[in-house]
Amino acid sequence: MAEEGPFTDISGKPISLECQNYTPFCREFTVSSPKVSLLKVMGYTCSVWLLAYAVFFLTENTTVLSSAIMVTLVGMILHIHFVKVDQETLLIIGSLGIQLSSLYASGRESTTFIEMSKIKDIVINEAIYMQSIIYYLCILIKDPSEPDGVASVVPLFQSSKPRLNCLVRVYKSCQEIIAQSR
Amino acid sequence: MVLKIFFPKCCNTADSGLLVGRWIPGQDSAVVLAVIHYPFIPGQVKKYLTQMRSQTKVDLTVLGSWSMPKDGQEGMDSFLKDLSTIFPHSRWLQLSRESGKRAFTCRVVQENGKPAAKKDGDDNDDDDDKDKIIFVHYDQRKVMLSQLHPVQEQKGSEEESTELRTMFQTVAQSEPLFFHDMYDEGALKLTHWQSEGREASIIVELVKQASVPVCIVLTWLLSVLGASRSTCLTKFNKEPIKSFISSKLSTCVQTGYRTDHFQTVFSTRKATTHMEFMRKANIFVSFLVDIALGLLLISWLYRENRISQLANTLVPAADHVAKELQELLEWLMGAPAGLKMNRALDQVLGRFFLYHIHLWISYIRLMSPFIEMILWYVGLTACLGLTFALSVLSDIVALLTFHIYCFYVYGARLYYLKIYGLSSLWRLFRGKKWNVLRQRVDSCSYDLDQLFIGTLLFTILLFLLPTTALYYLVFTLLRLVVVMFQGLIHLSVDFINSFPLFAMGLRLCRPYRVAEGVKFQVLSEEPGTPLHLRMEINPLKFSSVLQCYRTPTYSCYPKDSWVALCKKLFIGELVYPWRQKSTKTD
């Protein structure tokens, strides 16, 4: 199954959702974030280099220019390796668990697996984010000492931040599987 | 319910036979550990399994049959079906794989003979049952060697462990099962991870064999050393002084710490738990690296006559410091920064401190011919490790700046007395008194002459305050500079002591051994077959490795917070920023 309708994230940029149904109790959802805009990259690079030229004009020292180049390169490498998330995937396997993984722009993948025995439920929660209220999907983790309590909350799709219509689709699919494994 | 079968990757291409493994209690899952091939005698299989059960303490059973038919083995299927009657079971798995296809097919037969699932799906019920089997392919050797974090040492509560943890423990505990494989001469032929062939290293095996006698010799040496040390001490009988000096000198602290480490590492008792093993390994590796760095330092230091160069610069450097201090005091005795000091007090304090410096310079000049010899022998101690050399450096710095420490103590005591007197007389000025019994300020009626003298003294102390405060400020700043330098050295020693090099190396080279969790990947399935997943080990993050395996040290972190420190400095109380955890105040 492929995407359905135009989905956007909370700031209005278009994202895409892909659902794959391997078996009735194993599904995978992939949310792809918008790519880095070329204008932003050019703007950032130009501003850094203009500043470096201004400093060079004042001090007549060429190490300023080479250090500006190094700073830009290193900054971009760090950004694509640690900050920019390309895709976020949720793989839910009935009676085994839920796996969350983030694919960064440099190809690095970071994965977490939560076993089904630790999961209490998947819910859509509201949060206050800067000046607005957003919805986010999260997994509630059981508290081992208290049977009805919640030990912690794991938010999903934190980098792509999809809107409610996308979240509802994922939520409905996941609830079917979780209801089966109870 | 969904049935999960953990299947080892090494058995994917095994010949037909019986599946040996364990049903995980409480969950609907089974772990397949090995495949026993034809031909076998069922009686021998049962005997072997009972023997393995007692050896490994894992309840191994025959889970079912595995059929991968090769050419000329068509009659296998019926033979396999008959086997289910020979071995006792609650559920019997019949797995089969056709050569050329990648997916398995599975049939589950209950004890009463009724099949719980069929291969071909005609009705809707059978469709559901067929879909509810998951095959999880795992790498047997990696799972056997890996350790899930957070490490849980108690083995008793198995019901509380999660499914994955139980599965990892089962594979790790079944190590005796993997000693025989299909290439050995024996009654049974098994396939498991050993059948893939594994290279071993002779050097590693030799080191393992040699380590036991080496450990015995070293433990004996250590006990001899310890005994001789204690007899020497009882002879001199200077216990309080010795404990005082050894708590002040960081070299002695470091020696004691390293001796403790030796006793841990070279004890002949084998490490039973994972954490013990990692701690031993970390201490050993960091000790080796320490010695290597120390030897490197020695080779650099003793080349090209550097020791004599160092000695030749040391005495002029000490002279220079003393001269700078003298100039500083002359400046304070004049009009420092435009402030007007009280002439008499200024002269007294300045001359007092100048005399001290004069004593110090003469002492240094007396010692100067012996400095090179002392440095030469002290430099040799670096062969005990870089941490040792750094501790010795810290102690040398402490000894050389002893005069600054003395000045700080004098200035602080004077200032403290002044502040104390001022606060007490200020209370008298207002007609109040400090009640020691009740720990509070009470009103009090003084006589007239008491008030008169009190006010007089108060005025004197108040006008002498700027002078004392300035001296106190200058010497405190100098002392803080020295303390900060010593603190840096201590921090680097602490870092070398506590950094878990072995654990970091393990995380870099064998990441499956320190596992945080697992990752699943869906293998491309063919329609009409159960779900196949590949399970891989997700290694621990580097920051978690550091946090989990950090060797605890005698941490010399400041025991006051910043606010408390500033308050102490303001009042004039003596500040000891670096205090070890274990020592008590004298």
Side-chain angles (χ1 to χ4, degrees):
Chain A
M1 262 192 265
E3 50 204 271
E4 215 191 59
F7 290 116
T8 61
D9 73 352
I10 53 174
S11 28
K13 298 200 200 85
I15 59 173
S16 67
L17 170 72
E18 255 186 55
C19 316
Q20 203 161 5
N21 212 340
Y22 293 112
T23 72
F25 57 88
C26 175
R27 298 199 184 141
E28 188 174 28
F29 303 97
T30 310
V31 176
S32 318
S33 306
K35 306 271 186 245
V36 179
S37 73
L38 210 58
L39 274 173
K40 258 180 104 173
V41 170
M42 275 176 53
Y44 165 70
T45 325
C46 286
S47 57
V48 168
W49 285 354
L50 275 175
L51 191 68
Y53 267 116
V55 174
F56 171 67
F57 186 67
L58 290 172
T59 60
E60 304 286 333
N61 193 357
T62 48
T63 49
V64 169
L65 294 175
S66 34
S67 57
I69 296 178
M70 288 301 298
V71 159
T72 332
L73 279 175
V74 169
M76 283 208 270
I77 290 178
L78 287 178
H79 183 80
I80 60 170
H81 194 73
F82 290 111
V83 173
K84 180 80 190 79
V85 173
D86 249 354
Q87 269 181 6
E88 286 175 302
T89 314
L90 173 76
L91 171 69
I92 173 163
I93 309 169
S95 87
L96 200 60
I98 299 187
Q99 172 168 295
L100 322 164
S101 84
S102 311
L103 181 69
Y104 289 86
S106 61
R108 176 171 85 103
E109 191 153 5
S110 112
T111 324
T112 340
F113 179 73
I114 308 173
E115 290 185 66
M116 201 52 102
S117 53
K118 290 202 189 124
I119 295 178
K120 188 156 189 282
D121 206 356
I122 294 190
V123 293
I124 298 186
N125 226 356
E126 287 175 328
I128 300 181
Y129 182 70
M130 307 268 239
Q131 80 289 358
S132 49
I133 298 183
I134 59 166
Y135 295 100
Y136 66 99
L137 195 64
C138 59
I139 303 179
L140 303 176
I141 310 276
K142 277 189 198 156
D143 194 357
S145 49
E146 223 184 308
D148 279 334
V150 174
S152 55
V153 166
V154 177
L156 308 173
F157 304 126
Q158 273 192 295
S159 306
S160 26
K161 298 197 190 71
R163 278 217 165 128
L164 191 60
N165 46 5
C166 181
L167 293 178
V168 164
R169 271 220 58 209
V170 179
Y171 172 78
K172 281 191 181 148
S173 259
C174 292
Q175 282 294 336
E176 285 169 18
I177 298 185
I178 290 198
Q180 279 177 20
S181 53
R182 287 249 177 85
Chain B
M1 271 299 286
V2 182
L3 177 64
K4 289 159 274 199
I5 303 177
F6 291 93
F7 200 79
K9 280 192 213 167
C10 43
C11 296
N12 273 348
T13 50
D15 291 331
S16 315
L18 283 177
L19 294 169
V20 169
R22 181 192 185 203
W23 288 99
I24 296 186
Q27 318 269 356
D28 228 358
S29 38
V31 180
V32 174
L33 292 168
V35 175
I36 300 183
H37 297 301
Y38 302 117
F40 57 82
I41 304 173
Q44 278 189 334
V45 171
K46 286 188 193 169
K47 205 175 74 164
Y48 184 68
L49 279 182
T50 343
Q51 186 194 353
M52 278 296 129
R53 244 177 259 145
S54 57
Q55 240 184 324
T56 62
K57 313 273 187 300
V58 172
D59 45 346
L60 301 165
T61 52
V62 177
L63 297 171
S65 63
W66 163 251
S67 97
M68 181 149 148
K70 303 236 158 67
D71 302 324
Q73 280 186 346
E74 276 85 10
M76 274 303 181
D77 273 352
S78 50
F79 178 52
L80 289 169
K81 284 193 192 119
D82 297 331
L83 277 175
S84 64
T85 48
I86 307 178
F87 295 100
H89 61 276
S90 60
R91 270 184 288 193
W92 184 260
L93 302 169
Q94 289 176 352
L95 287 108
S96 63
R97 182 183 178 189
E98 284 144 51
S99 51
K101 280 201 184 171
R102 287 182 53 197
F104 300 174
T105 46
C106 177
R107 258 188 80 182
V108 183
V109 179
Q110 300 279 13
E111 189 165 0
N112 43 19
K114 232 186 338 172
K118 285 217 183 74
K119 231 185 2 179
D120 318 309
D122 293 315
D123 315 330
N124 287 340
D125 296 347
D126 292 327
D127 256 334
D128 287 325
D129 290 337
K130 168 197 57 173
D131 284 338
K132 286 188 173 190
I133 299 179
I134 305 181
F135 282 101
V136 180
H137 296 261
Y138 69 96
D139 191 330
Q140 202 167 46
R141 181 173 166 263
K142 289 194 177 160
V143 169
M144 189 179 80
L145 290 173
S146 110
Q147 170 72 36
L148 270 181
H149 293 76
V151 180
Q152 280 175 1
E153 296 291 335
Q154 308 93 312
K155 294 235 182 93
S157 55
E158 224 189 48
E159 299 85 41
E160 291 166 18
S161 339
T162 56
E163 187 177 6
L164 277 174
R165 207 172 266 274
T166 323
M167 184 244 168
F168 272 65
Q169 267 171 12
T170 311
V171 181
Q173 280 177 315
S174 314
E175 216 180 317
L177 183 65
F178 304 133
F179 287 161
H180 294 293
D181 73 347
M182 60 191 274
Y183 301 111
D184 286 336
E185 296 295 323
L188 297 171
K189 304 209 175 299
L190 292 140
T191 299
H192 40 72
W193 67 268
Q194 294 268 25
S195 319
E196 281 178 346
R198 191 79 212 141
E199 299 102 21
S201 160
I202 289 187
I203 299 179
V204 170
E205 297 299 317
L206 280 176
V207 164
K208 277 193 199 164
Q209 295 295 324
S211 64
V212 171
V214 166
C215 281
I216 296 179
V217 166
L218 281 167
T219 333
W220 174 79
L221 255 176
L222 266 177
S223 55
V224 161
L225 271 171
S228 61
R229 222 179 70 170
S230 51
T231 49
C232 283
L233 288 173
T234 48
K235 261 200 254 173
F236 289 124
N237 207 6
K238 287 201 178 98
E239 192 59 36
I241 300 184
K242 177 218 156 251
S243 66
F244 174 72
I245 292 181
S246 64
S247 65
K248 291 290 179 221
L249 283 179
S250 56
T251 320
C252 300
V253 175
Q254 179 73 8
T255 336
Y257 179 64
R258 278 282 184 230
T259 330
D260 279 336
H261 275 178
F262 284 170
Q263 279 172 346
T264 329
V265 171
F266 293 121
S267 76
T268 44
R269 196 172 61 89
K270 195 167 146 63
T272 45
T273 61
H274 172 82
M275 290 304 283
E276 252 185 68
F277 168 69
M278 292 299 278
R279 181 156 301 163
K280 268 190 164 187
N282 279 331
I283 292 176
F284 185 63
V285 172
S286 82
F287 175 63
L288 278 181
V289 169
D290 200 12
I291 301 252
L293 286 174
L295 289 173
L296 213 70
L297 181 70
I298 284 186
S299 74
W300 175 82
L301 209 59
Y302 283 82
R303 209 178 293 175
E304 296 165 19
N305 235 355
R306 285 222 176 85
I307 289 279
S308 52
Q309 279 178 14
L310 209 68
N312 287 341
T313 54
L314 202 67
V315 172
D319 251 349
H320 177 74
V321 166
K323 217 167 283 282
E324 291 287 326
L325 271 179
Q326 266 177 336
E327 280 178 21
L328 182 71
L329 282 169
E330 306 273 338
W331 180 66
L332 282 177
M333 288 198 330
L339 296 168
K340 194 150 184 288
M341 315 292 281
N342 180 296
R343 180 61 59 96
L345 185 62
D346 218 359
Q347 296 284 331
V348 163
L349 287 175
R351 291 225 187 100
F352 176 63
F353 289 132
L354 275 173
Y355 182 62
H356 259 86
I357 294 181
H358 171 78
L359 278 178
W360 187 253
I361 291 217
S362 358
Y363 175 66
I364 294 270
R365 294 233 175 94
L366 203 70
M367 287 265 295
S368 57
F370 305 111
I371 292 269
E372 186 175 342
M373 180 87 59
I374 294 176
L375 268 182
W376 206 89
Y377 284 116
V378 158
L380 276 180
T381 60
C383 73
L384 289 170
L386 186 68
T387 48
F388 226 82
L390 285 174
S391 320
V392 165
L393 178 70
S394 155
D395 287 334
I396 288 180
V397 164
L399 282 177
L400 282 181
T401 57
F402 192 61
H403 50 334
I404 296 184
Y405 178 59
C406 287
F407 289 171
Y408 164 70
V409 172
Y410 299 151
R413 279 275 173 246
L414 215 61
Y415 181 73
Y416 177 68
L417 278 172
K418 183 154 287 196
I419 294 283
Y420 184 66
L422 267 177
S423 54
S424 165
L425 289 171
W426 171 247
R427 274 180 233 123
L428 177 134
F429 205 57
R430 286 155 49 215
K432 298 216 190 287
K433 186 178 76 128
W434 174 253
N435 192 337
V436 186
L437 210 62
R438 297 287 184 100
Q439 295 286 316
R440 64 169 187 206
V441 179
D442 277 340
S443 63
C444 168
S445 62
Y446 292 99
D447 297 337
L448 197 63
D449 43 358
Q450 279 177 326
L451 277 176
F452 181 63
I453 295 187
T455 317
L456 213 63
L457 283 172
F458 176 75
T459 329
I460 293 175
L461 282 178
L462 185 69
F463 289 138
L464 290 178
L465 186 65
T467 319
T468 332
L470 199 69
Y471 274 92
Y472 172 65
L473 186 74
V474 167
F475 292 132
T476 313
L477 283 173
L478 281 174
R479 172 83 187 134
L480 282 178
V481 164
V482 173
V483 160
M484 240 174 276
F485 181 65
Q486 273 192 298
L488 268 172
I489 296 183
H490 282 193
L491 269 175
S492 48
V493 168
D494 202 37
F495 176 72
I496 299 180
N497 275 341
S498 69
F499 192 70
L501 269 173
F502 181 73
M504 280 295 182
L506 209 63
R507 168 66 183 86
L508 275 174
C509 308
R510 305 257 188 278
Y512 56 84
R513 290 198 60 172
V514 281
E516 195 184 20
V518 292
K519 316 195 248 229
F520 289 98
Q521 200 190 349
V522 180
L523 296 172
S524 59
E525 82 279 13
E526 291 138 24
T529 54
L531 181 67
H532 287 262
L533 296 168
R534 173 160 67 208
M535 182 174 93
E536 271 162 9
I537 298 189
N538 202 8
L540 208 55
K541 285 193 263 278
F542 283 104
S543 48
S544 320
V545 173
L546 194 65
Q547 206 180 7
C548 187
Y549 289 111
R550 239 183 122 237
T551 326
T553 58
Y554 56 92
S555 69
C556 356
Y557 294 117
K559 63 177 180 65
D560 295 318
S561 64
W562 286 108
V563 175
L565 195 72
C566 287
K567 186 163 171 280
K568 275 197 181 170
L569 284 176
F570 191 67
I571 296 178
E573 258 181 56
L574 285 173
V575 172
Y576 301 103
W578 310 106
R579 184 54 73 84
Q580 275 101 29
K581 265 192 195 162
S582 48
T583 55
K584 296 201 186 111
T585 45
D586 297 282

